[in-house]
Amino acid sequence: MNNSNNCPSTFHGFNGYRTCYYPAFGMGGAISVQRDAYTRAREWMDSPIGMVRTGVTTDQVRA
């Protein structure tokens, strides 16, 4: 996808929905709280995506 403001964002799509996020760069390795936060964030995103099926409504996914 063309990014008109030349911002180094990353675009992601799922089921026709598109989103963008901006990478953050750090020096050295991640500390344990950063790894834990990333793991929780991925679970929060992946769990609802895994629930998407024919007949499942958004209020069911949200719960």
Side-chain angles (χ1 to χ4, degrees):
M1 180 171 260
N2 185 9
N3 192 348
S4 61
N5 62 0
N6 294 322
C7 209
S9 63
T10 302
F11 289 89
H12 176 74
F14 179 78
N15 279 354
Y17 294 94
R18 298 196 60 78
T19 186
C20 66
Y21 54 93
Y22 299 87
F25 299 95
M27 301 300 289
I31 61 174
S32 63
V33 294
Q34 290 170 316
R35 285 189 295 272
D36 293 343
Y38 179 83
T39 299
R40 271 184 278 136
R42 285 301 314 192
E43 289 171 357
W44 292 340
M45 291 185 292
D46 293 340
S47 177
I49 289 172
M51 296 173 66
V52 174
R53 302 276 186 277
T54 301
V56 176
T57 62
T58 54
D59 61 329
Q60 293 169 313
V61 172
R62 183 188 58 166

Short mmCIF file of all heavy atoms in Angstrom, two decimals:
data_model
loop_
_atom_site.label_atom_id
_atom_site.label_comp_id
_atom_site.label_asym_id
_atom_site.label_seq_id
_atom_site.Cartn_x
_atom_site.Cartn_y
_atom_site.Cartn_z
N MET A 1 0.85 -1.17 0.00
CA MET A 1 0.00 0.00 0.00
C MET A 1 0.89 1.24 0.00
O MET A 1 1.88 1.30 0.71
CB MET A 1 -0.91 -0.03 1.22
CG MET A 1 -1.82 1.15 1.32
SD MET A 1 -3.05 0.95 2.61
CE MET A 1 -4.42 0.45 1.60
N ASN A 2 0.52 2.20 -0.77
CA ASN A 2 1.31 3.42 -0.87
C ASN A 2 1.05 4.31 0.36
O ASN A 2 -0.08 4.60 0.69
CB ASN A 2 0.93 4.16 -2.15
CG ASN A 2 1.80 5.36 -2.38
OD1 ASN A 2 2.78 5.56 -1.69
ND2 ASN A 2 1.44 6.16 -3.36
N ASN A 3 2.12 4.71 0.99
CA ASN A 3 2.00 5.58 2.16
C ASN A 3 2.37 6.99 1.73
O ASN A 3 3.53 7.29 1.52
CB ASN A 3 2.92 5.06 3.28
CG ASN A 3 2.63 5.73 4.59
OD1 ASN A 3 1.92 6.71 4.65
ND2 ASN A 3 3.19 5.18 5.64
N SER A 4 1.39 7.86 1.61
CA SER A 4 1.62 9.17 1.00
C SER A 4 2.51 10.09 1.81
O SER A 4 3.13 10.98 1.27
CB SER A 4 0.27 9.85 0.74
OG SER A 4 -0.40 10.05 1.97
N ASN A 5 2.59 9.89 3.12
CA ASN A 5 3.42 10.80 3.91
C ASN A 5 4.81 10.21 4.20
O ASN A 5 5.53 10.71 5.04
CB ASN A 5 2.72 11.19 5.21
CG ASN A 5 2.44 10.00 6.11
OD1 ASN A 5 2.77 8.88 5.77
ND2 ASN A 5 1.83 10.24 7.25
N ASN A 6 5.15 9.13 3.52
CA ASN A 6 6.45 8.48 3.65
C ASN A 6 6.77 8.06 5.09
O ASN A 6 7.93 8.00 5.49
CB ASN A 6 7.58 9.36 3.11
CG ASN A 6 7.44 9.57 1.62
OD1 ASN A 6 7.06 8.64 0.91
ND2 ASN A 6 7.73 10.75 1.15
N CYS A 7 5.76 7.79 5.86
CA CYS A 7 5.92 7.32 7.23
C CYS A 7 6.22 5.82 7.18
O CYS A 7 5.64 5.11 6.37
CB CYS A 7 4.64 7.60 8.01
SG CYS A 7 4.93 7.86 9.74
N PRO A 8 7.11 5.32 8.02
CA PRO A 8 7.50 3.91 7.94
C PRO A 8 6.48 2.98 8.60
O PRO A 8 6.83 2.13 9.40
CB PRO A 8 8.83 3.89 8.68
CG PRO A 8 8.69 4.96 9.71
CD PRO A 8 7.86 6.04 9.03
N SER A 9 5.20 3.16 8.29
CA SER A 9 4.19 2.32 8.91
C SER A 9 4.08 0.99 8.18
O SER A 9 4.48 0.85 7.04
CB SER A 9 2.84 3.04 8.93
OG SER A 9 2.42 3.28 7.61
N THR A 10 3.51 0.02 8.87
CA THR A 10 3.29 -1.30 8.31
C THR A 10 1.78 -1.50 8.21
O THR A 10 1.06 -1.25 9.17
CB THR A 10 3.90 -2.37 9.23
OG1 THR A 10 5.29 -2.10 9.36
CG2 THR A 10 3.71 -3.75 8.65
N PHE A 11 1.32 -1.97 7.07
CA PHE A 11 -0.10 -2.18 6.87
C PHE A 11 -0.43 -3.65 7.00
O PHE A 11 0.33 -4.51 6.54
CB PHE A 11 -0.54 -1.66 5.50
CG PHE A 11 -0.51 -0.17 5.42
CD1 PHE A 11 0.63 0.50 5.02
CD2 PHE A 11 -1.63 0.58 5.76
CE1 PHE A 11 0.67 1.87 4.97
CE2 PHE A 11 -1.60 1.97 5.71
CZ PHE A 11 -0.45 2.61 5.31
N HIS A 12 -1.55 -3.95 7.62
CA HIS A 12 -1.98 -5.32 7.82
C HIS A 12 -3.45 -5.41 7.46
O HIS A 12 -4.21 -4.50 7.75
CB HIS A 12 -1.76 -5.73 9.28
CG HIS A 12 -2.26 -7.10 9.60
ND1 HIS A 12 -1.59 -8.22 9.19
CD2 HIS A 12 -3.34 -7.52 10.28
CE1 HIS A 12 -2.26 -9.29 9.60
NE2 HIS A 12 -3.32 -8.89 10.26
N GLY A 13 -3.85 -6.50 6.84
CA GLY A 13 -5.25 -6.68 6.49
C GLY A 13 -5.76 -8.03 6.95
O GLY A 13 -5.02 -9.01 7.01
N PHE A 14 -7.05 -8.09 7.29
CA PHE A 14 -7.70 -9.33 7.66
C PHE A 14 -9.18 -9.22 7.31
O PHE A 14 -9.84 -8.26 7.71
CB PHE A 14 -7.53 -9.62 9.16
CG PHE A 14 -8.20 -10.89 9.60
CD1 PHE A 14 -7.60 -12.11 9.33
CD2 PHE A 14 -9.42 -10.87 10.25
CE1 PHE A 14 -8.20 -13.29 9.71
CE2 PHE A 14 -10.03 -12.04 10.63
CZ PHE A 14 -9.42 -13.26 10.36
N ASN A 15 -9.68 -10.16 6.54
CA ASN A 15 -11.09 -10.19 6.14
C ASN A 15 -11.56 -8.87 5.55
O ASN A 15 -12.68 -8.43 5.80
CB ASN A 15 -11.99 -10.55 7.33
CG ASN A 15 -12.03 -12.04 7.59
OD1 ASN A 15 -11.48 -12.83 6.83
ND2 ASN A 15 -12.66 -12.43 8.67
N GLY A 16 -10.71 -8.22 4.81
CA GLY A 16 -11.08 -6.97 4.17
C GLY A 16 -10.87 -5.73 5.01
O GLY A 16 -11.01 -4.62 4.53
N TYR A 17 -10.56 -5.90 6.29
CA TYR A 17 -10.28 -4.76 7.16
C TYR A 17 -8.79 -4.47 7.12
O TYR A 17 -7.98 -5.38 7.12
CB TYR A 17 -10.71 -5.05 8.60
CG TYR A 17 -12.19 -5.21 8.75
CD1 TYR A 17 -12.79 -6.46 8.70
CD2 TYR A 17 -13.00 -4.09 8.93
CE1 TYR A 17 -14.17 -6.60 8.82
CE2 TYR A 17 -14.37 -4.22 9.06
CZ TYR A 17 -14.94 -5.48 8.99
OH TYR A 17 -16.29 -5.61 9.12
N ARG A 18 -8.44 -3.20 7.08
CA ARG A 18 -7.02 -2.84 7.01
C ARG A 18 -6.67 -1.93 8.18
O ARG A 18 -7.47 -1.13 8.63
CB ARG A 18 -6.71 -2.13 5.70
CG ARG A 18 -6.97 -3.05 4.50
CD ARG A 18 -6.36 -2.59 3.23
NE ARG A 18 -4.93 -2.46 3.25
CZ ARG A 18 -4.05 -3.47 3.16
NH1 ARG A 18 -4.46 -4.69 3.11
NH2 ARG A 18 -2.76 -3.23 3.13
N THR A 19 -5.46 -2.11 8.67
CA THR A 19 -4.97 -1.27 9.75
C THR A 19 -3.49 -1.00 9.50
O THR A 19 -2.86 -1.69 8.71
CB THR A 19 -5.19 -1.93 11.12
OG1 THR A 19 -4.81 -1.01 12.14
CG2 THR A 19 -4.34 -3.18 11.28
N CYS A 20 -2.97 0.00 10.16
CA CYS A 20 -1.54 0.26 10.05
C CYS A 20 -0.99 0.47 11.45
O CYS A 20 -1.70 0.86 12.37
CB CYS A 20 -1.23 1.45 9.17
SG CYS A 20 -1.80 3.01 9.82
N TYR A 21 0.26 0.17 11.59
CA TYR A 21 0.93 0.42 12.86
C TYR A 21 2.35 0.85 12.55
O TYR A 21 2.87 0.62 11.47
CB TYR A 21 0.89 -0.79 13.79
CG TYR A 21 1.41 -2.07 13.18
CD1 TYR A 21 2.74 -2.44 13.32
CD2 TYR A 21 0.57 -2.91 12.46
CE1 TYR A 21 3.22 -3.60 12.77
CE2 TYR A 21 1.05 -4.08 11.91
CZ TYR A 21 2.38 -4.43 12.06
OH TYR A 21 2.85 -5.58 11.51
N TYR A 22 2.96 1.49 13.50
CA TYR A 22 4.26 2.08 13.29
C TYR A 22 5.30 1.32 14.09
O TYR A 22 5.13 1.11 15.30
CB TYR A 22 4.24 3.56 13.70
CG TYR A 22 3.25 4.32 12.86
CD1 TYR A 22 1.91 4.40 13.23
CD2 TYR A 22 3.65 4.90 11.68
CE1 TYR A 22 1.00 5.07 12.44
CE2 TYR A 22 2.74 5.58 10.88
CZ TYR A 22 1.41 5.65 11.26
OH TYR A 22 0.52 6.30 10.47
N PRO A 23 6.36 0.90 13.43
CA PRO A 23 7.38 0.14 14.15
C PRO A 23 8.16 1.01 15.13
O PRO A 23 8.34 2.20 14.90
CB PRO A 23 8.30 -0.38 13.04
CG PRO A 23 8.10 0.58 11.91
CD PRO A 23 6.69 1.10 12.03
N ALA A 24 8.56 0.42 16.21
CA ALA A 24 9.41 1.09 17.18
C ALA A 24 10.73 0.33 17.24
O ALA A 24 10.74 -0.90 17.20
CB ALA A 24 8.75 1.12 18.55
N PHE A 25 11.80 1.02 17.30
CA PHE A 25 13.10 0.39 17.31
C PHE A 25 13.80 0.69 18.62
O PHE A 25 13.73 1.79 19.13
CB PHE A 25 13.95 0.91 16.14
CG PHE A 25 13.33 0.61 14.81
CD1 PHE A 25 12.56 1.56 14.16
CD2 PHE A 25 13.50 -0.63 14.21
CE1 PHE A 25 11.96 1.29 12.95
CE2 PHE A 25 12.91 -0.91 13.00
CZ PHE A 25 12.15 0.05 12.36
N GLY A 26 14.42 -0.29 19.17
CA GLY A 26 15.17 -0.13 20.41
C GLY A 26 16.55 -0.72 20.26
O GLY A 26 16.81 -1.53 19.36
N MET A 27 17.41 -0.34 21.11
CA MET A 27 18.76 -0.87 21.10
C MET A 27 18.86 -2.01 22.10
O MET A 27 18.32 -1.91 23.20
CB MET A 27 19.77 0.22 21.44
CG MET A 27 19.73 1.41 20.49
SD MET A 27 20.08 0.98 18.78
CE MET A 27 21.80 0.61 18.88
N GLY A 28 19.52 -3.06 21.73
CA GLY A 28 19.68 -4.20 22.63
C GLY A 28 18.46 -5.10 22.59
O GLY A 28 17.61 -4.99 21.73
N GLY A 29 18.37 -5.99 23.54
CA GLY A 29 17.27 -6.94 23.59
C GLY A 29 16.12 -6.43 24.43
O GLY A 29 16.26 -5.49 25.21
N ALA A 30 14.98 -7.07 24.27
CA ALA A 30 13.80 -6.72 25.06
C ALA A 30 13.95 -7.27 26.47
O ALA A 30 14.48 -8.36 26.67
CB ALA A 30 12.55 -7.30 24.40
N ILE A 31 13.46 -6.51 27.43
CA ILE A 31 13.47 -6.99 28.81
C ILE A 31 12.18 -7.79 29.05
O ILE A 31 11.25 -7.75 28.25
CB ILE A 31 13.63 -5.84 29.82
CG1 ILE A 31 12.48 -4.84 29.72
CG2 ILE A 31 14.97 -5.13 29.60
CD1 ILE A 31 12.52 -3.76 30.79
N SER A 32 12.11 -8.49 30.16
CA SER A 32 10.99 -9.41 30.39
C SER A 32 9.63 -8.71 30.38
O SER A 32 8.66 -9.27 29.85
CB SER A 32 11.19 -10.18 31.69
OG SER A 32 11.19 -9.30 32.79
N VAL A 33 9.52 -7.50 30.93
CA VAL A 33 8.22 -6.83 30.92
C VAL A 33 7.79 -6.45 29.51
O VAL A 33 6.60 -6.46 29.20
CB VAL A 33 8.18 -5.60 31.86
CG1 VAL A 33 8.32 -6.01 33.30
CG2 VAL A 33 9.21 -4.58 31.48
N GLN A 34 8.74 -6.16 28.64
CA GLN A 34 8.41 -5.86 27.25
C GLN A 34 7.94 -7.12 26.54
O GLN A 34 6.96 -7.08 25.78
CB GLN A 34 9.62 -5.27 26.53
CG GLN A 34 9.98 -3.88 27.00
CD GLN A 34 11.32 -3.42 26.45
OE1 GLN A 34 12.29 -4.18 26.42
NE2 GLN A 34 11.37 -2.17 26.00
N ARG A 35 8.61 -8.24 26.78
CA ARG A 35 8.18 -9.50 26.17
C ARG A 35 6.81 -9.90 26.68
O ARG A 35 5.96 -10.36 25.91
CB ARG A 35 9.21 -10.61 26.44
CG ARG A 35 10.47 -10.48 25.61
CD ARG A 35 11.35 -11.70 25.73
NE ARG A 35 11.87 -11.87 27.08
CZ ARG A 35 12.99 -11.32 27.54
NH1 ARG A 35 13.72 -10.57 26.74
NH2 ARG A 35 13.37 -11.52 28.78
N ASP A 36 6.55 -9.71 27.97
CA ASP A 36 5.25 -10.04 28.54
C ASP A 36 4.14 -9.16 27.94
O ASP A 36 3.06 -9.66 27.61
CB ASP A 36 5.26 -9.88 30.06
CG ASP A 36 6.14 -10.89 30.76
OD1 ASP A 36 6.49 -11.91 30.13
OD2 ASP A 36 6.48 -10.65 31.94
N ALA A 37 4.42 -7.88 27.80
CA ALA A 37 3.44 -6.96 27.22
C ALA A 37 3.13 -7.35 25.77
O ALA A 37 1.97 -7.34 25.34
CB ALA A 37 3.94 -5.52 27.29
N TYR A 38 4.15 -7.70 25.01
CA TYR A 38 3.95 -8.11 23.62
C TYR A 38 3.12 -9.39 23.56
O TYR A 38 2.19 -9.51 22.75
CB TYR A 38 5.30 -8.33 22.92
CG TYR A 38 5.14 -8.77 21.50
CD1 TYR A 38 4.93 -7.85 20.48
CD2 TYR A 38 5.20 -10.12 21.15
CE1 TYR A 38 4.76 -8.25 19.18
CE2 TYR A 38 5.04 -10.53 19.85
CZ TYR A 38 4.82 -9.59 18.86
OH TYR A 38 4.66 -9.99 17.56
N THR A 39 3.43 -10.35 24.44
CA THR A 39 2.69 -11.60 24.46
C THR A 39 1.21 -11.35 24.76
O THR A 39 0.33 -11.90 24.10
CB THR A 39 3.29 -12.57 25.51
OG1 THR A 39 4.64 -12.84 25.15
CG2 THR A 39 2.51 -13.86 25.59
N ARG A 40 0.93 -10.50 25.76
CA ARG A 40 -0.46 -10.18 26.09
C ARG A 40 -1.17 -9.47 24.93
O ARG A 40 -2.32 -9.77 24.61
CB ARG A 40 -0.53 -9.31 27.34
CG ARG A 40 -0.61 -10.13 28.60
CD ARG A 40 -0.76 -9.25 29.83
NE ARG A 40 0.59 -8.80 30.18
CZ ARG A 40 0.91 -7.57 30.53
NH1 ARG A 40 0.00 -6.65 30.63
NH2 ARG A 40 2.15 -7.25 30.81
N ALA A 41 -0.48 -8.53 24.31
CA ALA A 41 -1.08 -7.80 23.19
C ALA A 41 -1.40 -8.74 22.04
O ALA A 41 -2.47 -8.64 21.42
CB ALA A 41 -0.15 -6.68 22.72
N ARG A 42 -0.49 -9.67 21.75
CA ARG A 42 -0.76 -10.64 20.67
C ARG A 42 -1.95 -11.52 21.03
O ARG A 42 -2.78 -11.83 20.16
CB ARG A 42 0.46 -11.53 20.41
CG ARG A 42 1.59 -10.88 19.67
CD ARG A 42 1.22 -10.35 18.32
NE ARG A 42 0.43 -11.27 17.52
CZ ARG A 42 0.20 -11.11 16.22
NH1 ARG A 42 0.69 -10.09 15.58
NH2 ARG A 42 -0.54 -11.96 15.56
N GLU A 43 -2.07 -11.94 22.27
CA GLU A 43 -3.21 -12.75 22.70
C GLU A 43 -4.51 -11.96 22.54
O GLU A 43 -5.52 -12.50 22.10
CB GLU A 43 -3.04 -13.20 24.14
CG GLU A 43 -1.96 -14.25 24.32
CD GLU A 43 -1.63 -14.54 25.77
OE1 GLU A 43 -2.21 -13.88 26.68
OE2 GLU A 43 -0.80 -15.42 26.00
N TRP A 44 -4.50 -10.67 22.90
CA TRP A 44 -5.69 -9.83 22.77
C TRP A 44 -6.10 -9.68 21.31
O TRP A 44 -7.28 -9.53 21.01
CB TRP A 44 -5.45 -8.46 23.37
CG TRP A 44 -5.29 -8.44 24.86
CD1 TRP A 44 -5.69 -9.41 25.74
CD2 TRP A 44 -4.69 -7.43 25.64
NE1 TRP A 44 -5.37 -9.04 27.02
CE2 TRP A 44 -4.74 -7.82 27.00
CE3 TRP A 44 -4.09 -6.21 25.33
CZ2 TRP A 44 -4.25 -7.05 28.02
CZ3 TRP A 44 -3.59 -5.44 26.36
CH2 TRP A 44 -3.68 -5.86 27.69
N MET A 45 -5.15 -9.67 20.39
CA MET A 45 -5.48 -9.54 18.97
C MET A 45 -5.84 -10.89 18.35
O MET A 45 -6.79 -10.99 17.58
CB MET A 45 -4.31 -8.93 18.20
CG MET A 45 -4.06 -7.48 18.52
SD MET A 45 -2.76 -6.73 17.52
CE MET A 45 -1.31 -7.58 18.12
N ASP A 46 -5.07 -11.93 18.68
CA ASP A 46 -5.25 -13.22 18.02
C ASP A 46 -6.48 -13.98 18.51
O ASP A 46 -7.11 -14.70 17.74
CB ASP A 46 -4.01 -14.09 18.21
CG ASP A 46 -2.81 -13.53 17.46
OD1 ASP A 46 -3.00 -12.73 16.53
OD2 ASP A 46 -1.67 -13.90 17.81
N SER A 47 -6.83 -13.83 19.77
CA SER A 47 -7.98 -14.55 20.31
C SER A 47 -9.28 -14.19 19.59
O SER A 47 -10.00 -15.09 19.12
CB SER A 47 -8.11 -14.30 21.81
OG SER A 47 -9.24 -14.94 22.33
N PRO A 48 -9.62 -12.91 19.44
CA PRO A 48 -10.85 -12.58 18.69
C PRO A 48 -10.79 -13.01 17.23
O PRO A 48 -11.78 -13.46 16.67
CB PRO A 48 -10.96 -11.06 18.81
CG PRO A 48 -10.12 -10.69 19.97
CD PRO A 48 -9.04 -11.71 20.04
N ILE A 49 -9.62 -12.88 16.62
CA ILE A 49 -9.49 -13.29 15.22
C ILE A 49 -9.79 -14.78 15.09
O ILE A 49 -10.45 -15.22 14.16
CB ILE A 49 -8.08 -12.95 14.67
CG1 ILE A 49 -7.95 -11.43 14.51
CG2 ILE A 49 -7.82 -13.66 13.35
CD1 ILE A 49 -6.55 -10.96 14.15
N GLY A 50 -9.34 -15.57 16.07
CA GLY A 50 -9.60 -17.01 16.06
C GLY A 50 -11.06 -17.36 16.24
O GLY A 50 -11.48 -18.47 15.92
N MET A 51 -11.86 -16.43 16.74
CA MET A 51 -13.28 -16.67 16.97
C MET A 51 -14.13 -16.36 15.74
O MET A 51 -15.32 -16.71 15.69
CB MET A 51 -13.78 -15.83 18.14
CG MET A 51 -13.14 -16.18 19.45
SD MET A 51 -13.61 -15.03 20.76
CE MET A 51 -15.36 -15.38 20.90
N VAL A 52 -13.57 -15.70 14.75
CA VAL A 52 -14.34 -15.27 13.59
C VAL A 52 -14.72 -16.49 12.75
O VAL A 52 -13.86 -17.23 12.27
CB VAL A 52 -13.56 -14.25 12.73
CG1 VAL A 52 -14.30 -13.92 11.45
CG2 VAL A 52 -13.28 -13.00 13.54
N ARG A 53 -16.01 -16.72 12.65
CA ARG A 53 -16.58 -17.81 11.88
C ARG A 53 -17.91 -17.33 11.29
O ARG A 53 -18.50 -16.37 11.78
CB ARG A 53 -16.88 -19.04 12.75
CG ARG A 53 -15.71 -19.61 13.50
CD ARG A 53 -14.91 -20.57 12.60
NE ARG A 53 -13.86 -21.23 13.34
CZ ARG A 53 -12.66 -20.73 13.58
NH1 ARG A 53 -12.34 -19.53 13.17
NH2 ARG A 53 -11.74 -21.41 14.22
N THR A 54 -18.41 -18.04 10.34
CA THR A 54 -19.72 -17.74 9.79
C THR A 54 -20.76 -17.89 10.90
O THR A 54 -20.77 -18.89 11.61
CB THR A 54 -20.05 -18.71 8.63
OG1 THR A 54 -19.06 -18.57 7.63
CG2 THR A 54 -21.42 -18.43 8.05
N GLY A 55 -21.57 -16.87 11.06
CA GLY A 55 -22.64 -16.90 12.05
C GLY A 55 -22.27 -16.31 13.40
O GLY A 55 -23.12 -16.10 14.24
N VAL A 56 -20.98 -16.06 13.65
CA VAL A 56 -20.56 -15.45 14.90
C VAL A 56 -20.67 -13.94 14.75
O VAL A 56 -20.14 -13.37 13.80
CB VAL A 56 -19.11 -15.86 15.26
CG1 VAL A 56 -18.64 -15.14 16.51
CG2 VAL A 56 -19.00 -17.36 15.45
N THR A 57 -21.36 -13.30 15.68
CA THR A 57 -21.55 -11.86 15.59
C THR A 57 -20.48 -11.12 16.38
O THR A 57 -19.79 -11.71 17.23
CB THR A 57 -22.95 -11.48 16.13
OG1 THR A 57 -23.03 -11.86 17.50
CG2 THR A 57 -24.05 -12.16 15.32
N THR A 58 -20.37 -9.84 16.12
CA THR A 58 -19.33 -9.05 16.79
C THR A 58 -19.54 -8.98 18.28
O THR A 58 -18.57 -8.92 19.05
CB THR A 58 -19.27 -7.63 16.21
OG1 THR A 58 -20.57 -7.03 16.27
CG2 THR A 58 -18.78 -7.64 14.78
N ASP A 59 -20.81 -9.00 18.74
CA ASP A 59 -21.02 -8.96 20.19
C ASP A 59 -20.54 -10.26 20.86
O ASP A 59 -20.10 -10.25 22.01
CB ASP A 59 -22.47 -8.67 20.54
CG ASP A 59 -23.45 -9.70 20.02
OD1 ASP A 59 -23.18 -10.29 18.97
OD2 ASP A 59 -24.48 -9.92 20.68
N GLN A 60 -20.56 -11.37 20.13
CA GLN A 60 -20.03 -12.62 20.67
C GLN A 60 -18.50 -12.60 20.72
O GLN A 60 -17.90 -13.11 21.66
CB GLN A 60 -20.52 -13.81 19.84
CG GLN A 60 -22.01 -14.04 19.95
CD GLN A 60 -22.50 -15.03 18.93
OE1 GLN A 60 -22.16 -14.94 17.75
NE2 GLN A 60 -23.31 -15.97 19.37
N VAL A 61 -17.89 -12.03 19.71
CA VAL A 61 -16.43 -11.92 19.69
C VAL A 61 -15.96 -10.97 20.79
O VAL A 61 -14.99 -11.24 21.48
CB VAL A 61 -15.92 -11.45 18.30
CG1 VAL A 61 -14.44 -11.15 18.33
CG2 VAL A 61 -16.25 -12.48 17.25
N ARG A 62 -16.68 -9.88 20.97
CA ARG A 62 -16.32 -8.89 21.97
C ARG A 62 -16.38 -9.45 23.39
O ARG A 62 -15.59 -9.10 24.25
CB ARG A 62 -17.25 -7.69 21.87
CG ARG A 62 -16.91 -6.57 22.83
CD ARG A 62 -17.96 -5.52 22.80
NE ARG A 62 -19.24 -6.16 23.14
CZ ARG A 62 -20.32 -5.49 23.46
NH1 ARG A 62 -20.30 -4.20 23.44
NH2 ARG A 62 -21.43 -6.12 23.75
N ALA A 63 -17.33 -10.34 23.65
CA ALA A 63 -17.51 -10.91 24.99
C ALA A 63 -16.36 -11.80 25.28
O ALA A 63 -15.58 -11.89 26.01
CB ALA A 63 -18.79 -11.72 25.06
#
